[in-house]
Amino acid sequence: MTLSFFDQFMSPTFMGIPLMALALTLPWILYPTPSARWLNNRLLTLQGWFINRFTHQLLTPLNLGGHKWALLLTSLMLFLVTLNMLGLLPYTFTPTTQLSLNLGLAVPLWLATVIIGMRNQPTVALGHFLPEGTPTLLIPVLIVIETISLFIRPLALGVRLTANLTAGHLLIQLIATAAFTLLPLMPTVAILTATLLFLLTLLEVAVAMIQAYVFVLLLSLYLQENV
C-alpha cells in the first residue's frame, strides 16, 4: 500500500479509539516534580531557572493585572515546546500539526483577553477600532478593517503554528526519502543529502521552540492591550 506524505498528520487511533488525549497527556509526565528541598538535582535547577527567566521576560511589559496570567502562559509555553519537540522523534505524532487543536488553544485565550479588555476598560478597548485623528470619510472603513483584523488574530495564531510545523515535517520526510532512494544509486549525493537532513533537523528543533514562544508572546501582547 502506497502511503501519502500527509499520512503522518492523521490523528492516530488504536482499536478505533483516538490517541490524541494520550499524546496531549504525555508531556506532563516527562517533567520532574519540584520538591521542597533546598538542594535539587541539576535537572530541577535548570527547569526552575528556565521557567523563572521566561516568566520574567514575558511579564515585564505587563502591569500587575496581567501577572495573574503567569502560570497559564508559562504552562502553555512548556506544553507547546514539549509537544513540538516530541513530534520530531521517529514514529511519533505531533498534535500541534492539527489546526483544530491550535485553534482550540488560540480562540479561548484570545477571547479571554478581549473580554477582560471590554470589562475593565471598555473605552480604551473600543478605541482601538478608531485611531485618534481619523478623517471622517475613513471612519466606517477603518472600523470594518480593525474589526476584521481583531477576529483574524486567533486564526493567525493557529494557522502560523500549524503551517510552520507541517512544512518542517514535510521537508524532513521528503529529504529523508530522497536520501534513502539515492543511497544505492549515488552514494556521494546521498551522503550530502543526509548532511542536509541533519542540518534541517537542527533547524526544525529551533523552529519548534521559536513557534511555541511566538504563540505565547503574541497572546501576552494581546493581553497587554487589554489590561
Side-chain angles (χ1 to χ4, degrees), residues 17-33:
I17 302 174
L19 300 180
M20 177 71 82
L22 180 61
L24 295 177
T25 307
L26 184 61
W28 302 117
I29 304 175
L30 300 178
Y31 283 101
T33 304

Side-chain angles (χ1 to χ4, degrees), residues 11-20:
S11 181
T13 58
F14 179 71
M15 298 179 63
I17 302 174
L19 300 180
M20 177 71 82

Side-chain angles (χ1 to χ4, degrees), residues 34-218:
S35 65
R37 299 177 180 177
W38 286 9
L39 295 178
N40 296 317
N41 56 36
R42 291 185 179 90
L43 183 59
L44 280 177
T45 304
L46 182 62
Q47 175 184 323
W49 176 84
F50 172 77
I51 292 175
N52 288 335
R53 294 300 302 170
F54 171 74
T55 307
H56 176 74
Q57 182 177 359
L58 191 66
L59 298 182
T60 298
L62 300 178
N63 56 23
L64 292 179
H67 291 184
K68 300 175 183 178
W69 286 59
L71 180 61
L72 176 62
L73 294 178
T74 305
S75 302
L76 181 62
M77 170 70 178
L78 293 175
F79 183 62
L80 291 177
V81 166
T82 310
L83 286 179
N84 295 347
M85 297 291 286
L86 289 177
L88 294 175
L89 297 175
Y91 302 104
T92 56
F93 171 68
T94 313
T96 45
T97 57
Q98 304 294 311
L99 183 60
S100 57
L101 173 67
N102 296 332
L103 289 180
L105 293 173
V107 172
L109 294 174
W110 163 82
L111 187 59
T113 62
V114 174
I115 292 175
I116 287 175
M118 291 295 183
R119 187 188 65 178
N120 294 342
Q121 43 183 9
T123 304
V124 177
L126 294 175
H128 292 146
F129 292 97
L130 189 62
E132 187 178 356
T134 304
T136 307
L137 295 177
L138 295 179
I139 288 178
V141 179
L142 273 180
I143 291 177
V144 172
I145 293 175
E146 292 296 331
T147 304
I148 294 174
S149 66
L150 177 66
F151 284 99
I152 281 179
R153 284 180 174 182
L155 182 63
L157 279 177
V159 170
R160 180 187 295 106
L161 184 58
T162 304
N164 280 283
L165 295 180
T166 302
H169 283 65
L170 283 176
L171 278 175
I172 289 176
Q173 186 173 4
L174 285 170
I175 296 178
T177 304
F180 278 110
T181 304
L182 292 172
L183 186 59
L185 302 176
M186 292 179 286
T188 305
V189 178
I191 293 173
L192 294 177
T193 307
T195 305
L196 177 63
L197 177 62
F198 175 74
L199 297 176
L200 180 62
T201 304
L202 295 180
L203 176 63
E204 284 305 310
V205 170
V207 168
M209 294 186 288
I210 290 172
Q211 288 304 316
Y213 175 73
V214 168
F215 189 93
V216 178
L217 179 63
L218 290 177

